Amino acid sequence: MTTAEDLIARSNRLGADPKNTNYAGGNTSAKGTATDPVTGQDVELLWVKGSGGDLGTLKESGLAVLRLDRMRALVDVYPGVEREDEMVAAFDYCLHGKVGAAPSIDTAMHGLVDAKHVDHLHPDSGIAIATAADGENLTKEIFGDQVVWVPWRRPGFQLGLDIAEIKAKTPQAVGCVLGGHGITAWGDTSEEAEKNSLWIIDTAAAYIEEHSKAEPFGPALEGYAALPEEDRRTKAAALAPTIRGIASADQPMVGHFNDSEVVLDFLAHEAHPRLAELGTSCPDHFLRTKVKPLVLDLPADASVEDSITRLKELAVSYREDYQNYYDRHADQNSPAIRGKDPLIVLVPGVGMFSFGRNKQTARVAGEFYVNAINVMRGAEGLSTYAPIDESEKFRIEYWALEEAKLQRMPAPKPLATRVALVTGAASGIGKATAKRLAAEGACVVIADLDLAKAQAAAAEIGNSDVAVGLAADVSDEAAVQAMFDAAVLAFGGVDLVVNNAGLSLSKSLLETTERDWDLQHDVMAKGSFLVSKAAASVLIEQEMGGDIVYISSKNSLFAGPNNVAYGAAKADQAHQVRLLAAELGEHGIKVNGINPDGVVQGSGIFAGGWGAKRAEVYGVKEEELGKFYAQRTLLKREVLPENIANAVFVLCGPDLSHTTGLHVPVDAGVAAAFLR
């Protein structure tokens, strides 16, 4: 096994267990030799996890590879701690080879320490000791002289020099606790480094378990205990649009909901307001969660109405407080303020809402705050939680290097941060639409009468950070509400709704029964009404605008034979577009429609008997129906589900931001269905 392969295996093992480090937290390294392709001579190299990425999923492409001779030479030109940021750019001149990740700010910690293998990790148990008010004494008591306390220092070249000096002066030490931050361990072999890392983590955890006070967060607060699961999730769904709107005042955000026992227990005890106000400590934590959360200061049984009123009041205070925080510490060289809205919102008895520019970021932000709660519990159980100073948090949050990292991120896709809900999305037009919206950056809810098919369609698109499948009968008001409740708990809210669910029975007037009529109107006319009503409730409360798109039909305009119930239902949908566009415009909600014709391929409607009936009406074979429809159009082209999906994207994308009340024909040209 090569040095790099051995390092990757160790990194994956450490990163796979959340007790060792948080997602994308920490870094690992190994030193070894390789052949210089220019001289043919052996050269000593450092392989280290590069900027970004995650230990648990690290691959060779995520490693930065540097020449150790050149890196060690940087010590002689180091200009001092006031200019240490310049050293990050200098790492680029130490790189070996043509590929690999960019070196991270922690590279010096790995390169300068005289050990073959180094691990820097962010375990909850280690950070609990690192953030305890008497963390230095605890480190001595827990580890003796095998682990050394390092007072808080911002990650960088000087911290690397400090740890290198500790390693040189205390040869018996196997690692150190970095005040306010995490741990670093080392070894002469990969196995030894990993063993030392795990020993520090497990020893700290065992000490906390044995010596912690019974109630680290203080006594239980009356009225703040967790609501029963069904009640708290119902309340969470009712609050979600308001909370997402609060978190998205400056820029749109996707959300994630967490009602784990860790969160609910924290919020049920007396110390949670004080600890939440102190904020997180580890740089990885507060860069993802902001310096502190917004906490609703009402008991669990507070009404939804009272909770919404108070949340909106607290949002104003939070924004003012964050602006003051920025003003206290910013200077002429600081990056512009990045937004004053909370990324973590805590609701006693209900749970935690976390936010980010995509679902994964939102979910991980919540995971980081769970890490922070665990850290607070450990520190309070042994001592008093004492995170790094606010000024130090600001230095990292608005670090020029952090700003440069943000500027290097790729431009977002057109529908990034938007949450789309598509009904009837397990096949045909709905499925194609969901795929297109996801490809353009949206999170997608696949809703269908058949849960298994909805979940399978979602799995084709991506994992649960991208798409989820839900069962929903759009003709049932309670089922529609449950669908939206599940959607807002999955992604924080909804921005874009596509009324696509439908069916058709091809019968003449005399053959059409009352049941036939009711079924088609229940699904399409009534169903679209119910979905749009539930959607509007969410969209209005979010105050972020939005889109509602109706997949109507050419038949809303064209009077074809043996089609009375379907055509009438589609005409109802078409007029709903105009009515709702007029009503919802004041809220920034656009309502538009699409009139397809003859979408045979992949269609659940056509496969369910409609195709055979229409083929019989027109006197053609069912398998030739698509070609028949194409030949009656002006363009002589068959209409595919993807053509409808393209139109949905255009209506909801950035180029038609001022268009509402429009019906777009996607029928390859049917003159009888021209809009008049």
Side-chain angles (χ1 to χ4, degrees):
M1 187 179 290
T2 66
T3 303
E5 289 170 341
D6 192 23
L7 172 61
I8 291 167
R10 178 173 103 237
S11 303
N12 293 165
R13 287 192 299 272
L14 289 169
D17 190 339
K19 79 176 177 64
N20 297 332
T21 199
N22 43 257
Y23 176 83
N27 28 68
T28 51
S29 68
K31 301 178 181 74
T33 58
T35 302
D36 187 323
V38 176
T39 65
Q41 302 297 311
D42 282 348
V43 60
E44 199 175 2
L45 300 176
L46 169 73
W47 287 264
V48 59
K49 194 199 90 167
S51 180
D54 173 55
L55 286 175
T57 55
L58 182 67
K59 296 179 175 58
E60 190 162 2
S61 59
L63 297 174
V65 188
L66 298 90
R67 285 187 52 146
L68 273 171
D69 57 346
R70 297 182 66 82
M71 187 175 176
R72 288 165 177 157
L74 293 178
V75 175
D76 298 328
V77 296
Y78 174 49
V81 69
E82 295 303 319
R83 292 171 54 193
E84 69 172 338
D85 288 359
E86 297 172 20
M87 305 307 288
V88 175
F91 292 151
D92 290 343
Y93 296 95
C94 304
L95 291 172
H96 175 82
K98 298 170 63 176
V99 296
S104 78
I105 189 65
D106 286 320
T107 300
M109 182 191 305
H110 295 271
L112 301 181
V113 171
D114 185 18
K116 290 284 187 181
H117 301 268
V118 178
D119 298 330
H120 167 58
L121 303 168
H122 298 153
D124 294 348
S125 62
I127 305 175
I129 306 304
T131 56
D134 55 347
E136 183 172 5
N137 292 333
L138 284 170
T139 299
K140 292 178 181 176
E141 182 176 336
I142 297 169
F143 303 106
D145 62 357
Q146 289 186 276
V147 177
V148 180
W149 172 264
V150 180
W152 161 258
R153 184 184 290 282
R154 188 174 66 162
F157 203 84
Q158 187 60 53
L159 181 59
L161 289 171
D162 292 348
I163 297 175
E165 184 177 5
I166 286 169
K167 173 69 171 65
K169 290 184 175 180
T170 54
Q172 75 280 6
V174 301
C176 52
V177 172
L178 310 180
H181 184 168
I183 70 164
T184 297
W186 47 77
D188 291 332
T189 66
S190 184
E191 293 77 11
E192 186 178 61
E194 183 175 359
K195 179 182 177 182
N196 289 337
S197 294
L198 295 175
W199 177 75
I200 294 173
I201 294 166
D202 293 340
T203 300
Y207 186 90
I208 293 169
E209 177 71 22
E210 182 179 351
H211 294 86
S212 177
K213 64 185 71 165
E215 292 289 353
F217 294 144
L221 279 172
E222 185 175 354
Y224 280 70
L227 295 172
E229 182 177 5
E230 184 177 350
D231 293 344
R232 69 174 179 262
R233 295 186 77 82
T234 298
K235 187 174 181 180
L239 297 177
T242 300
I243 293 173
R244 186 181 183 219
I246 287 169
S248 301
D250 286 323
Q251 52 188 347
M253 291 285 175
V254 176
H256 178 73
F257 176 66
N258 182 325
D259 61 347
S260 65
E261 185 178 350
V262 171
V263 174
L264 294 169
D265 178 72
F266 174 64
L267 295 173
H269 287 81
E270 186 179 73
H272 84 262
R274 170 179 63 85
L275 295 171
E277 182 66 22
L278 287 172
T280 54
S281 185
C282 176
D284 262 17
H285 291 185
F286 61 75
L287 284 173
R288 303 272 189 158
T289 66
K290 267 202 164 87
V291 289
K292 63 183 179 181
L294 185 156
V295 185
L296 178 61
D297 52 0
L298 294 178
D301 62 357
S303 70
V304 169
E305 293 73 21
D306 287 348
S307 298
I308 287 175
T309 298
R310 184 57 179 151
L311 282 165
K312 290 181 176 180
E313 293 171 351
L314 290 168
V316 174
S317 300
Y318 188 98
R319 289 174 61 82
E320 292 174 351
D321 189 48
Y322 190 85
Q323 182 69 61
N324 292 335
Y325 156 76
Y326 179 86
D327 292 341
R328 279 194 298 274
H329 302 294
D331 58 30
Q332 65 272 18
N333 297 317
S334 297
I337 194 169
R338 297 196 193 102
K340 296 177 282 189
D341 304 319
L343 294 178
I344 303 292
V345 178
L346 301 172
V347 180
V350 175
M352 170 176 62
F353 298 82
S354 55
F355 295 91
R357 297 307 301 272
N358 54 55
K359 169 67 176 188
Q360 184 199 45
T361 304
R363 175 177 53 78
V364 169
E367 291 172 2
F368 272 73
Y369 201 78
V370 168
N371 291 134
I373 292 173
N374 291 333
V375 166
M376 294 174 193
R377 179 186 292 105
E380 288 283 306
L382 299 179
S383 173
T384 302
Y385 175 62
I388 63 174
D389 290 342
E390 180 187 270
S391 60
E392 287 298 300
K393 294 180 184 181
F394 183 87
R395 287 183 68 209
I396 290 177
E397 186 179 359
Y398 285 91
W399 202 352
L401 296 177
E402 185 65 26
E403 181 70 13
K405 184 190 297 185
L406 293 173
Q407 295 301 321
R408 289 196 301 269
M409 294 179 67
K413 293 182 177 180
L415 298 184
T417 74
R418 303 198 74 188
V419 180
L421 185 153
V422 185
T423 65
S427 63
I429 292 171
K431 186 175 180 180
T433 298
K435 285 185 174 181
R436 178 63 194 273
L437 298 178
E440 299 294 347
C443 298
V444 180
V445 177
I446 307 286
D448 200 89
L449 197 58
D450 189 317
L451 176 60
K453 290 182 179 179
Q455 292 175 334
E460 285 185 37
I461 292 173
N463 62 26
S464 59
D465 287 339
V466 178
V468 297
L470 301 176
D473 177 354
V474 298
S475 68
D476 182 325
E477 186 169 19
V480 168
Q481 187 58 55
M483 173 181 71
F484 274 92
D485 287 353
V488 300
L489 291 183
F491 295 117
V494 174
D495 305 289
L496 193 168
V497 173
V498 182
N499 272 313
N500 172 70
L503 78 159
S504 183
L505 304 172
S506 178
K507 294 183 180 181
S508 69
L509 172 62
L510 297 181
E511 293 175 316
T512 300
T513 66
E514 182 179 1
R515 183 182 180 281
D516 295 334
W517 177 274
D518 288 345
L519 177 61
Q520 292 178 88
H521 279 74
D522 280 351
V523 172
M524 291 177 288
K526 176 185 171 183
S528 294
F529 155 71
L530 292 175
V531 170
S532 295
K533 181 180 178 182
S537 178
V538 173
L539 295 172
I540 291 169
E541 183 60 28
Q542 287 177 159
E543 299 183 348
M544 297 167 64
D547 284 276
I548 300 175
V549 178
Y550 281 65
I551 307 300
S552 183
S553 171
K554 170 263 302 182
N555 290 291
S556 67
L557 298 164
F558 174 77
N562 297 348
N563 202 18
V564 61
Y566 180 81
K570 286 299 183 181
D572 187 313
Q573 284 186 311
H575 200 47
Q576 285 186 39
V577 169
R578 293 183 280 268
L579 293 167
L580 297 187
E583 182 174 341
L584 299 177
E586 65 177 291
H587 302 289
I589 301 168
K590 297 154 52 203
V591 186
N592 292 291
I594 295 172
N595 290 341
D597 177 42
V599 182
V600 178
Q601 289 191 26
S603 169
I605 290 178
F606 276 89
W610 171 256
K613 289 288 187 181
R614 299 317 290 170
E616 181 181 340
V617 167
Y618 293 117
V620 299
K621 295 179 180 179
E622 184 178 359
E623 61 269 22
E624 296 178 356
L625 189 59
K627 293 180 180 178
F628 169 79
Y629 283 146
Q631 289 308 306
R632 72 183 185 180
T633 69
L634 300 176
L635 297 176
K636 310 300 182 191
R637 298 172 185 167
E638 183 174 355
V639 181
L640 304 176
E642 290 73 21
N643 302 135
I644 317 306
N646 294 342
V648 174
F649 166 65
V650 171
L651 283 171
C652 302
D655 293 337
L656 289 186
S657 60
H658 291 56
T659 298
T660 192
L662 174 69
H663 276 284
V664 177
V666 184
D667 56 12
V670 177
F674 281 175
L675 295 169
R676 294 176 173 84

